[in-house]
Amino acid sequence: MCFYNQVKGTVFMTDNNGALVDITAKSSAYLPVQEASIHRIKRLEEAGIVPGMREEFVIIGENEADDSLILSLRSIQYELAWERCRQLQAEDVIVKGKVVGGNKGGLVAVVEGLRGFVPFSQISSKSTAEELLDKEFPLKFVDVDEEQSRLILSNRKAMADSQAQLGIGSVVTGTVQSLKPYGAFIDIGGINGLLHVSQISHDRVSDIATVLQPGDTLKVMILSHDRERGRVSLSTKKLEPTPGDMIRNPKLVFEKAEEMAQTFRQRIAQAEAMARADMLRFQPESGLTLSSDGILSPLNSDMPAEGLDLSDVPPADKSDGTSEKESD
């Protein structure tokens, strides 16, 4: 990427309206506050601009009154943001966007500093625009067109991808959203899951607030996922190395989460295998039987113990029913 009239400079003075920048030119250079960041800021300090800071700027104009040059950081960041969005679209990843507004057609969300549009047809939540205002939710890129200044996003695609990844027994990281007498609601990538009080620990939890608080980050295991109803059941109980660890030492639970989940998945796989074997045991029409040592074999086998001698089997290219002697 190439910027015209790009220069290096050092900020040596700031005020409420902008900053004076030394670019080793004959005339002075000025960075207006509105050109200091791709984000909307009121003070330069919000963008980390202070005297002594050295940065790359781009010259966007000239003040005719005093021949001073007008600089911008926003223009550089704007180009980089579009490049980043194109990269994220190519990688087909899920990003977080903050809702900053809306109209009759959809919501306006900020992603990578750019304002994108999310049509209502691409929003899976039943919440209103007012309820989603100033909140972050998962998005995927639909159209990234810098020339047309068009950035179209989809929450529906992001949610579909997130749900596809919710395999039973998998471990995900979530954030506690709210507490209820019966459990805690956990945000796992834009999807709300329920951590029932009975699934927090093997030990009895009389008051959820003594274990979890809104805003806490934790690891949970997916117990079940009802896609039609959009319900996800979670557990930290299954991740406890020893009963009660979630109450006494939750850090250990999260450290061992993947290991404990792997053990859980192995137990489930073994149980399913035994269930299938039991079905075969009582289904002679399958032609198989399960021996006492758990080995599947033919139900009625007339085969000798040493197996068949295949050396005398004639070739399969004689299809006329005649023997070799008859053909001679």
Side-chain angles (χ1 to χ4, degrees), residues 252-305:
L252 177 64
V253 176
F254 304 148
E255 288 176 354
K256 297 283 187 178
E258 284 75 14
E259 180 182 333
M260 296 301 298
Q262 177 64 23
T263 301
F264 175 82
R265 290 192 293 268
Q266 289 174 349
R267 290 202 304 266
I268 294 298
Q270 291 171 355
E272 290 176 347
M274 291 179 64
R276 287 193 296 269
D278 285 342
M279 291 179 65
L280 287 171
R281 191 195 303 274
F282 299 105
Q283 291 181 354
E285 65 272 14
S286 67
L288 297 174
T289 185
L290 189 71
S291 64
S292 59
D293 54 1
I295 299 176
L296 287 174
S297 58
L299 186 63
N300 292 310
S301 178
D302 297 325
M303 208 180 345

Side-chain angles (χ1 to χ4, degrees), residues 34-94:
Q34 62 268 25
E35 291 294 332
S37 175
I38 192 174
H39 303 286
R40 293 184 178 181
I41 60 173
K42 294 182 179 180
R43 297 163 55 242
L44 291 175
E45 290 79 3
E46 296 176 44
I49 298 173
V50 294
M53 186 194 81
R54 186 165 177 79
E55 189 57 87
E56 293 274 356
F57 300 87
V58 63
I59 300 172
I60 60 172
E62 186 176 353
N63 190 332
E64 296 181 357
D66 58 5
D67 294 330
S68 63
L69 299 174
I70 301 175
L71 305 179
S72 175
L73 286 173
R74 176 179 169 275
S75 296
I76 296 176
Q77 295 171 1
Y78 185 77
E79 293 289 337
L80 292 174
W82 278 106
E83 183 177 286
R84 176 63 175 157
C85 287
R86 285 191 292 268
Q87 178 185 351
L88 293 171
Q89 182 188 32
E91 295 174 356
D92 197 33
V93 298
I94 297 174

Side-chain angles (χ1 to χ4, degrees), residues 13-225:
M13 185 181 295
T14 62
D15 58 28
N16 293 332
N17 299 316
L20 288 172
V21 182
D22 179 11
I23 57 172
T24 66
K26 293 182 179 179
S27 58
S28 61
Y30 189 70
L31 175 69
V33 66
Q34 62 268 25
E35 291 294 332
S37 175
I38 192 174
H39 303 286
R40 293 184 178 181
I41 60 173
K42 294 182 179 180
R43 297 163 55 242
L44 291 175
E45 290 79 3
E46 296 176 44
I49 298 173
V50 294
M53 186 194 81
R54 186 165 177 79
E55 189 57 87
E56 293 274 356
F57 300 87
V58 63
I59 300 172
I60 60 172
E62 186 176 353
N63 190 332
E64 296 181 357
D66 58 5
D67 294 330
S68 63
L69 299 174
I70 301 175
L71 305 179
S72 175
L73 286 173
R74 176 179 169 275
S75 296
I76 296 176
Q77 295 171 1
Y78 185 77
E79 293 289 337
L80 292 174
W82 278 106
E83 183 177 286
R84 176 63 175 157
C85 287
R86 285 191 292 268
Q87 178 185 351
L88 293 171
Q89 182 188 32
E91 295 174 356
D92 197 33
V93 298
I94 297 174
V95 298
K96 287 278 191 174
K98 183 177 181 179
V99 178
V100 295
N103 53 37
K104 293 182 179 179
L107 302 176
V108 177
V110 174
V111 176
E112 295 293 322
L114 299 176
R115 294 166 71 88
F117 184 66
V118 190
F120 280 127
S121 63
Q122 292 300 314
I123 299 174
S124 62
S125 171
K126 296 180 180 179
S127 302
T128 64
E130 291 75 16
E131 291 172 336
L132 292 172
L133 191 64
D134 293 327
K135 293 183 179 178
E136 288 189 341
F137 67 153
L139 298 165
K140 291 195 77 172
F141 294 94
V142 175
D143 187 18
V144 180
D145 190 337
E146 182 179 1
E147 291 185 2
Q148 300 295 325
S149 294
R150 184 170 61 236
L151 185 63
I152 308 298
L153 306 159
S154 172
N155 168 250
R156 188 176 295 277
K157 288 180 64 178
M159 294 296 287
D161 280 14
S162 295
Q163 292 180 3
Q165 298 170 6
L166 297 181
I168 305 303
S170 61
V171 175
V172 295
T173 300
T175 304
V176 179
Q177 294 296 300
S178 62
L179 302 180
K180 302 294 181 182
Y182 51 83
F185 283 98
I186 314 294
D187 177 13
I188 48 174
I191 299 172
N192 268 334
L194 175 63
L195 177 60
H196 194 270
V197 62
S198 64
Q199 284 298 327
I200 294 177
S201 176
H202 284 84
D203 287 1
R204 185 174 180 273
V205 177
S206 55
D207 184 2
I208 300 176
T210 61
V211 184
L212 300 171
Q213 286 293 319
D216 285 353
T217 299
L218 72 167
K219 289 185 178 181
V220 292
M221 191 180 74
I222 307 296
L223 274 187
S224 65
H225 182 199

Side-chain angles (χ1 to χ4, degrees), residues 224-250:
S224 65
H225 182 199
D226 186 336
R227 298 180 189 278
E228 293 184 0
R229 297 184 179 182
R231 295 178 179 176
V232 180
S233 297
L234 308 172
S235 175
T236 51
K237 174 181 178 178
K238 304 294 185 184
L239 301 178
E240 289 184 320
T242 55
D245 279 344
M246 192 60 198
I247 299 173
R248 296 186 297 269
N249 191 1

Side-chain angles (χ1 to χ4, degrees), residues 306-325:
E306 65 271 19
L308 294 174
D309 182 1
L310 303 181
S311 61
D312 294 330
V313 177
D317 57 358
K318 298 293 182 182
S319 58
D320 57 359
T322 60
S323 66
E324 291 185 5
K325 289 183 179 180

